[in-house]
mmCIF file of all heavy atoms in Angstrom:
data_model
loop_
_atom_site.group_PDB
_atom_site.id
_atom_site.type_symbol
_atom_site.label_atom_id
_atom_site.label_comp_id
_atom_site.label_asym_id
_atom_site.label_seq_id
_atom_site.Cartn_x
_atom_site.Cartn_y
_atom_site.Cartn_z
ATOM 1 N N ASP A 1598 -53.677 46.351 -11.882
ATOM 2 C CA ASP A 1598 -53.826 45.646 -13.130
ATOM 3 C C ASP A 1598 -54.339 46.582 -14.215
ATOM 4 O O ASP A 1598 -53.921 46.579 -15.364
ATOM 5 C CB ASP A 1598 -54.821 44.539 -12.997
ATOM 6 C CG ASP A 1598 -54.345 43.274 -13.639
ATOM 7 O OD1 ASP A 1598 -53.159 43.208 -14.029
ATOM 8 O OD2 ASP A 1598 -55.120 42.310 -13.708
ATOM 9 N N LEU A 1599 -55.303 47.521 -13.897
ATOM 10 C CA LEU A 1599 -55.839 48.521 -14.863
ATOM 11 C C LEU A 1599 -54.734 49.471 -15.287
ATOM 12 O O LEU A 1599 -54.643 49.903 -16.364
ATOM 13 C CB LEU A 1599 -56.981 49.231 -14.277
ATOM 14 C CG LEU A 1599 -58.308 48.446 -14.173
ATOM 15 C CD1 LEU A 1599 -59.365 49.177 -13.336
ATOM 16 C CD2 LEU A 1599 -58.902 48.177 -15.548
ATOM 17 N N HIS A 1600 -53.836 49.876 -14.344
ATOM 18 C CA HIS A 1600 -52.739 50.714 -14.663
ATOM 19 C C HIS A 1600 -51.789 50.051 -15.645
ATOM 20 O O HIS A 1600 -51.303 50.808 -16.549
ATOM 21 C CB HIS A 1600 -51.995 51.229 -13.382
ATOM 22 C CG HIS A 1600 -50.975 52.232 -13.702
ATOM 23 N ND1 HIS A 1600 -49.641 51.994 -13.661
ATOM 24 C CD2 HIS A 1600 -51.095 53.546 -14.115
ATOM 25 C CE1 HIS A 1600 -48.995 53.016 -14.016
ATOM 26 N NE2 HIS A 1600 -49.831 53.998 -14.251
ATOM 27 N N ARG A 1601 -51.423 48.833 -15.488
ATOM 28 C CA ARG A 1601 -50.594 48.129 -16.412
ATOM 29 C C ARG A 1601 -51.248 48.095 -17.776
ATOM 30 O O ARG A 1601 -50.610 48.265 -18.819
ATOM 31 C CB ARG A 1601 -50.285 46.696 -15.889
ATOM 32 C CG ARG A 1601 -49.327 46.686 -14.796
ATOM 33 C CD ARG A 1601 -48.879 45.231 -14.483
ATOM 34 N NE ARG A 1601 -49.910 44.496 -13.841
ATOM 35 C CZ ARG A 1601 -50.067 44.362 -12.522
ATOM 36 N NH1 ARG A 1601 -49.184 44.998 -11.778
ATOM 37 N NH2 ARG A 1601 -51.013 43.664 -12.004
ATOM 38 N N HIS A 1602 -52.623 47.910 -17.806
ATOM 39 C CA HIS A 1602 -53.361 47.894 -19.153
ATOM 40 C C HIS A 1602 -53.282 49.290 -19.691
ATOM 41 O O HIS A 1602 -53.009 49.402 -20.943
ATOM 42 C CB HIS A 1602 -54.746 47.557 -18.820
ATOM 43 C CG HIS A 1602 -55.695 47.640 -19.950
ATOM 44 N ND1 HIS A 1602 -55.915 46.659 -20.896
ATOM 45 C CD2 HIS A 1602 -56.500 48.677 -20.356
ATOM 46 C CE1 HIS A 1602 -56.788 47.084 -21.799
ATOM 47 N NE2 HIS A 1602 -57.120 48.268 -21.500
ATOM 48 N N PHE A 1603 -53.447 50.322 -18.935
ATOM 49 C CA PHE A 1603 -53.349 51.685 -19.426
ATOM 50 C C PHE A 1603 -51.939 52.056 -19.881
ATOM 51 O O PHE A 1603 -51.750 52.742 -20.928
ATOM 52 C CB PHE A 1603 -53.758 52.686 -18.380
ATOM 53 C CG PHE A 1603 -53.397 54.117 -18.616
ATOM 54 C CD1 PHE A 1603 -54.028 54.869 -19.626
ATOM 55 C CD2 PHE A 1603 -52.456 54.787 -17.878
ATOM 56 C CE1 PHE A 1603 -53.630 56.162 -19.829
ATOM 57 C CE2 PHE A 1603 -52.030 56.044 -18.082
ATOM 58 C CZ PHE A 1603 -52.681 56.800 -19.119
ATOM 59 N N ARG A 1604 -50.913 51.600 -19.104
ATOM 60 C CA ARG A 1604 -49.522 51.949 -19.478
ATOM 61 C C ARG A 1604 -49.168 51.405 -20.834
ATOM 62 O O ARG A 1604 -48.453 52.018 -21.624
ATOM 63 C CB ARG A 1604 -48.571 51.352 -18.361
ATOM 64 C CG ARG A 1604 -47.058 51.341 -18.753
ATOM 65 C CD ARG A 1604 -46.572 52.721 -18.919
ATOM 66 N NE ARG A 1604 -46.535 53.472 -17.687
ATOM 67 C CZ ARG A 1604 -46.138 54.766 -17.656
ATOM 68 N NH1 ARG A 1604 -45.831 55.431 -18.729
ATOM 69 N NH2 ARG A 1604 -46.111 55.417 -16.484
ATOM 70 N N ALA A 1605 -49.707 50.172 -21.245
ATOM 71 C CA ALA A 1605 -49.461 49.635 -22.510
ATOM 72 C C ALA A 1605 -49.872 50.589 -23.602
ATOM 73 O O ALA A 1605 -49.238 50.609 -24.710
ATOM 74 C CB ALA A 1605 -50.084 48.309 -22.668
ATOM 75 N N ARG A 1606 -50.939 51.308 -23.433
ATOM 76 C CA ARG A 1606 -51.463 52.313 -24.455
ATOM 77 C C ARG A 1606 -50.655 53.584 -24.295
ATOM 78 O O ARG A 1606 -50.276 54.150 -25.272
ATOM 79 C CB ARG A 1606 -52.941 52.512 -24.241
ATOM 80 C CG ARG A 1606 -53.439 53.721 -25.102
ATOM 81 C CD ARG A 1606 -54.882 54.001 -24.946
ATOM 82 N NE ARG A 1606 -55.251 55.184 -25.596
ATOM 83 C CZ ARG A 1606 -55.357 55.285 -26.926
ATOM 84 N NH1 ARG A 1606 -55.253 54.308 -27.668
ATOM 85 N NH2 ARG A 1606 -55.663 56.501 -27.463
ATOM 86 N N ALA A 1607 -50.398 53.993 -23.048
ATOM 87 C CA ALA A 1607 -49.844 55.342 -22.799
ATOM 88 C C ALA A 1607 -48.436 55.405 -23.447
ATOM 89 O O ALA A 1607 -48.047 56.405 -24.060
ATOM 90 C CB ALA A 1607 -49.705 55.622 -21.348
ATOM 91 N N ASP A 1608 -47.645 54.348 -23.381
ATOM 92 C CA ASP A 1608 -46.320 54.359 -23.912
ATOM 93 C C ASP A 1608 -46.285 54.409 -25.456
ATOM 94 O O ASP A 1608 -45.356 54.977 -26.073
ATOM 95 C CB ASP A 1608 -45.508 53.130 -23.475
ATOM 96 C CG ASP A 1608 -45.017 53.238 -22.044
ATOM 97 O OD1 ASP A 1608 -45.321 54.354 -21.405
ATOM 98 O OD2 ASP A 1608 -44.482 52.303 -21.524
ATOM 99 N N THR A 1609 -47.339 53.882 -26.109
ATOM 100 C CA THR A 1609 -47.355 53.890 -27.529
ATOM 101 C C THR A 1609 -47.882 55.167 -28.116
ATOM 102 O O THR A 1609 -47.755 55.458 -29.270
ATOM 103 C CB THR A 1609 -48.225 52.688 -28.083
ATOM 104 O OG1 THR A 1609 -49.546 52.821 -27.611
ATOM 105 C CG2 THR A 1609 -47.651 51.362 -27.690
ATOM 106 N N LEU A 1610 -48.479 56.004 -27.254
ATOM 107 C CA LEU A 1610 -49.039 57.266 -27.637
ATOM 108 C C LEU A 1610 -48.564 58.381 -26.654
ATOM 109 O O LEU A 1610 -49.438 58.981 -25.952
ATOM 110 C CB LEU A 1610 -50.591 57.233 -27.724
ATOM 111 C CG LEU A 1610 -51.234 56.334 -28.834
ATOM 112 C CD1 LEU A 1610 -52.722 56.285 -28.585
ATOM 113 C CD2 LEU A 1610 -50.908 56.892 -30.161
ATOM 114 N N PRO A 1611 -47.278 58.595 -26.589
ATOM 115 C CA PRO A 1611 -46.785 59.564 -25.568
ATOM 116 C C PRO A 1611 -47.194 61.022 -25.817
ATOM 117 O O PRO A 1611 -47.169 61.780 -24.859
ATOM 118 C CB PRO A 1611 -45.293 59.437 -25.784
ATOM 119 C CG PRO A 1611 -45.005 58.984 -27.180
ATOM 120 C CD PRO A 1611 -46.205 58.070 -27.480
ATOM 121 N N ARG A 1612 -47.723 61.302 -26.981
ATOM 122 C CA ARG A 1612 -48.156 62.700 -27.217
ATOM 123 C C ARG A 1612 -49.664 62.873 -27.253
ATOM 124 O O ARG A 1612 -50.215 63.947 -27.508
ATOM 125 C CB ARG A 1612 -47.580 63.210 -28.607
ATOM 126 C CG ARG A 1612 -46.072 63.253 -28.543
ATOM 127 C CD ARG A 1612 -45.477 63.514 -29.915
ATOM 128 N NE ARG A 1612 -45.967 64.779 -30.546
ATOM 129 C CZ ARG A 1612 -45.432 66.000 -30.322
ATOM 130 N NH1 ARG A 1612 -44.374 66.094 -29.503
ATOM 131 N NH2 ARG A 1612 -45.918 67.084 -30.867
ATOM 132 N N ASP A 1613 -50.370 61.766 -26.909
ATOM 133 C CA ASP A 1613 -51.876 61.803 -26.916
ATOM 134 C C ASP A 1613 -52.321 62.681 -25.757
ATOM 135 O O ASP A 1613 -51.969 62.440 -24.601
ATOM 136 C CB ASP A 1613 -52.392 60.412 -26.845
ATOM 137 C CG ASP A 1613 -53.875 60.361 -26.869
ATOM 138 O OD1 ASP A 1613 -54.461 60.340 -27.957
ATOM 139 O OD2 ASP A 1613 -54.577 60.464 -25.774
ATOM 140 N N ALA A 1614 -53.191 63.679 -26.029
ATOM 141 C CA ALA A 1614 -53.597 64.622 -24.994
ATOM 142 C C ALA A 1614 -54.337 63.939 -23.863
ATOM 143 O O ALA A 1614 -54.136 64.336 -22.659
ATOM 144 C CB ALA A 1614 -54.424 65.780 -25.605
ATOM 145 N N ARG A 1615 -55.230 62.986 -24.194
ATOM 146 C CA ARG A 1615 -55.978 62.379 -23.072
ATOM 147 C C ARG A 1615 -55.065 61.499 -22.259
ATOM 148 O O ARG A 1615 -55.312 61.377 -21.058
ATOM 149 C CB ARG A 1615 -57.150 61.571 -23.681
ATOM 150 C CG ARG A 1615 -58.234 62.506 -24.255
ATOM 151 C CD ARG A 1615 -59.361 61.810 -24.948
ATOM 152 N NE ARG A 1615 -60.124 61.035 -23.911
ATOM 153 C CZ ARG A 1615 -61.215 60.306 -24.184
ATOM 154 N NH1 ARG A 1615 -61.676 60.303 -25.407
ATOM 155 N NH2 ARG A 1615 -61.782 59.678 -23.201
ATOM 156 N N VAL A 1616 -54.189 60.862 -22.865
ATOM 157 C CA VAL A 1616 -53.201 60.036 -22.134
ATOM 158 C C VAL A 1616 -52.386 60.845 -21.153
ATOM 159 O O VAL A 1616 -52.188 60.556 -19.964
ATOM 160 C CB VAL A 1616 -52.312 59.220 -23.041
ATOM 161 C CG1 VAL A 1616 -51.099 58.586 -22.279
ATOM 162 C CG2 VAL A 1616 -53.064 58.082 -23.754
ATOM 163 N N GLN A 1617 -51.938 62.034 -21.711
ATOM 164 C CA GLN A 1617 -51.144 62.892 -20.878
ATOM 165 C C GLN A 1617 -51.936 63.536 -19.710
ATOM 166 O O GLN A 1617 -51.478 63.559 -18.578
ATOM 167 C CB GLN A 1617 -50.585 64.059 -21.709
ATOM 168 C CG GLN A 1617 -49.459 63.589 -22.722
ATOM 169 C CD GLN A 1617 -49.034 64.650 -23.701
ATOM 170 O OE1 GLN A 1617 -49.685 65.714 -23.699
ATOM 171 N NE2 GLN A 1617 -47.931 64.507 -24.325
ATOM 172 N N ALA A 1618 -53.225 63.798 -19.959
ATOM 173 C CA ALA A 1618 -54.088 64.361 -18.988
ATOM 174 C C ALA A 1618 -54.337 63.415 -17.798
ATOM 175 O O ALA A 1618 -54.296 63.772 -16.621
ATOM 176 C CB ALA A 1618 -55.423 64.837 -19.590
ATOM 177 N N LEU A 1619 -54.598 62.168 -18.196
ATOM 178 C CA LEU A 1619 -54.814 61.107 -17.147
ATOM 179 C C LEU A 1619 -53.486 60.910 -16.311
ATOM 180 O O LEU A 1619 -53.576 60.791 -15.085
ATOM 181 C CB LEU A 1619 -55.264 59.786 -17.707
ATOM 182 C CG LEU A 1619 -55.513 58.665 -16.705
ATOM 183 C CD1 LEU A 1619 -56.462 59.114 -15.622
ATOM 184 C CD2 LEU A 1619 -55.891 57.357 -17.437
ATOM 185 N N THR A 1620 -52.369 60.808 -16.956
ATOM 186 C CA THR A 1620 -51.146 60.612 -16.270
ATOM 187 C C THR A 1620 -50.918 61.763 -15.227
ATOM 188 O O THR A 1620 -50.523 61.480 -14.032
ATOM 189 C CB THR A 1620 -49.930 60.579 -17.208
ATOM 190 O OG1 THR A 1620 -50.148 59.527 -18.185
ATOM 191 C CG2 THR A 1620 -48.663 60.450 -16.497
ATOM 192 N N GLU A 1621 -51.217 62.942 -15.646
ATOM 193 C CA GLU A 1621 -51.131 64.119 -14.676
ATOM 194 C C GLU A 1621 -52.094 64.040 -13.513
ATOM 195 O O GLU A 1621 -51.759 64.305 -12.379
ATOM 196 C CB GLU A 1621 -51.276 65.390 -15.449
ATOM 197 C CG GLU A 1621 -50.184 65.711 -16.480
ATOM 198 C CD GLU A 1621 -50.483 66.934 -17.384
ATOM 199 O OE1 GLU A 1621 -51.657 67.473 -17.164
ATOM 200 O OE2 GLU A 1621 -49.662 67.264 -18.199
ATOM 201 N N ARG A 1622 -53.284 63.577 -13.801
ATOM 202 C CA ARG A 1622 -54.310 63.457 -12.760
ATOM 203 C C ARG A 1622 -53.960 62.366 -11.797
ATOM 204 O O ARG A 1622 -54.230 62.413 -10.567
ATOM 205 C CB ARG A 1622 -55.639 63.216 -13.368
ATOM 206 C CG ARG A 1622 -56.273 64.536 -14.012
ATOM 207 C CD ARG A 1622 -57.698 64.264 -14.508
ATOM 208 N NE ARG A 1622 -58.218 65.439 -15.226
ATOM 209 C CZ ARG A 1622 -58.618 65.405 -16.456
ATOM 210 N NH1 ARG A 1622 -58.655 64.294 -17.100
ATOM 211 N NH2 ARG A 1622 -59.048 66.515 -17.044
ATOM 212 N N LEU A 1623 -53.365 61.276 -12.270
ATOM 213 C CA LEU A 1623 -52.989 60.185 -11.385
ATOM 214 C C LEU A 1623 -51.927 60.658 -10.428
ATOM 215 O O LEU A 1623 -51.962 60.417 -9.217
ATOM 216 C CB LEU A 1623 -52.407 59.029 -12.213
ATOM 217 C CG LEU A 1623 -53.421 58.285 -13.084
ATOM 218 C CD1 LEU A 1623 -52.688 57.236 -14.004
ATOM 219 C CD2 LEU A 1623 -54.501 57.617 -12.245
ATOM 220 N N HIS A 1624 -50.946 61.388 -10.870
ATOM 221 C CA HIS A 1624 -49.884 61.916 -10.054
ATOM 222 C C HIS A 1624 -50.472 62.928 -9.011
ATOM 223 O O HIS A 1624 -50.096 62.933 -7.864
ATOM 224 C CB HIS A 1624 -48.796 62.644 -10.830
ATOM 225 C CG HIS A 1624 -47.911 61.723 -11.618
ATOM 226 N ND1 HIS A 1624 -46.709 61.311 -11.018
ATOM 227 C CD2 HIS A 1624 -47.931 61.155 -12.810
ATOM 228 C CE1 HIS A 1624 -46.060 60.487 -11.855
ATOM 229 N NE2 HIS A 1624 -46.749 60.424 -12.946
ATOM 230 N N ALA A 1625 -51.386 63.755 -9.429
ATOM 231 C CA ALA A 1625 -51.934 64.788 -8.555
ATOM 232 C C ALA A 1625 -52.894 64.122 -7.548
ATOM 233 O O ALA A 1625 -52.963 64.588 -6.411
ATOM 234 C CB ALA A 1625 -52.681 65.831 -9.356
ATOM 235 N N THR A 1626 -53.607 63.144 -7.914
ATOM 236 C CA THR A 1626 -54.601 62.525 -7.032
ATOM 237 C C THR A 1626 -53.867 61.701 -5.948
ATOM 238 O O THR A 1626 -54.241 61.735 -4.764
ATOM 239 C CB THR A 1626 -55.632 61.568 -7.801
ATOM 240 O OG1 THR A 1626 -56.241 62.394 -8.759
ATOM 241 C CG2 THR A 1626 -56.588 61.003 -6.932
ATOM 242 N N ARG A 1627 -52.879 60.920 -6.299
ATOM 243 C CA ARG A 1627 -52.218 60.036 -5.377
ATOM 244 C C ARG A 1627 -50.707 60.151 -5.544
ATOM 245 O O ARG A 1627 -50.077 59.209 -6.016
ATOM 246 C CB ARG A 1627 -52.665 58.656 -5.486
ATOM 247 C CG ARG A 1627 -54.086 58.377 -5.103
ATOM 248 C CD ARG A 1627 -54.373 58.566 -3.586
ATOM 249 N NE ARG A 1627 -53.538 57.719 -2.805
ATOM 250 C CZ ARG A 1627 -53.914 56.488 -2.356
ATOM 251 N NH1 ARG A 1627 -55.100 56.014 -2.659
ATOM 252 N NH2 ARG A 1627 -53.186 55.769 -1.590
ATOM 253 N N PRO A 1628 -50.060 61.272 -5.101
ATOM 254 C CA PRO A 1628 -48.688 61.341 -5.215
ATOM 255 C C PRO A 1628 -47.913 60.280 -4.366
ATOM 256 O O PRO A 1628 -46.753 59.985 -4.649
ATOM 257 C CB PRO A 1628 -48.316 62.770 -4.673
ATOM 258 C CG PRO A 1628 -49.529 63.110 -3.911
ATOM 259 C CD PRO A 1628 -50.692 62.424 -4.497
ATOM 260 N N ASP A 1629 -48.568 59.707 -3.364
ATOM 261 C CA ASP A 1629 -47.967 58.667 -2.542
ATOM 262 C C ASP A 1629 -47.816 57.343 -3.313
ATOM 263 O O ASP A 1629 -47.155 56.369 -2.869
ATOM 264 C CB ASP A 1629 -48.790 58.363 -1.339
ATOM 265 C CG ASP A 1629 -50.207 57.985 -1.619
ATOM 266 O OD1 ASP A 1629 -50.939 58.656 -2.446
ATOM 267 O OD2 ASP A 1629 -50.723 57.047 -1.092
ATOM 268 N N LEU A 1630 -48.491 57.251 -4.495
ATOM 269 C CA LEU A 1630 -48.372 56.080 -5.307
ATOM 270 C C LEU A 1630 -47.386 56.322 -6.458
ATOM 271 O O LEU A 1630 -47.504 55.707 -7.540
ATOM 272 C CB LEU A 1630 -49.720 55.647 -5.908
ATOM 273 C CG LEU A 1630 -50.781 55.252 -4.869
ATOM 274 C CD1 LEU A 1630 -52.061 54.824 -5.527
ATOM 275 C CD2 LEU A 1630 -50.281 54.062 -4.010
#
Side-chain angles (χ1 to χ4, degrees):
D1598 225 11
L1599 286 170
H1600 184 252
R1601 285 190 287 268
H1602 173 86
F1603 165 70
R1604 169 62 70 184
R1606 172 179 170 78
D1608 284 356
T1609 60
L1610 292 172
R1612 295 170 60 83
D1613 183 87
R1615 291 180 62 176
V1616 165
Q1617 292 176 344
L1619 177 58
T1620 300
E1621 292 171 0
R1622 290 187 181 119
L1623 292 173
H1624 283 271
T1626 301
R1627 291 295 300 270
D1629 58 310
L1630 296 180

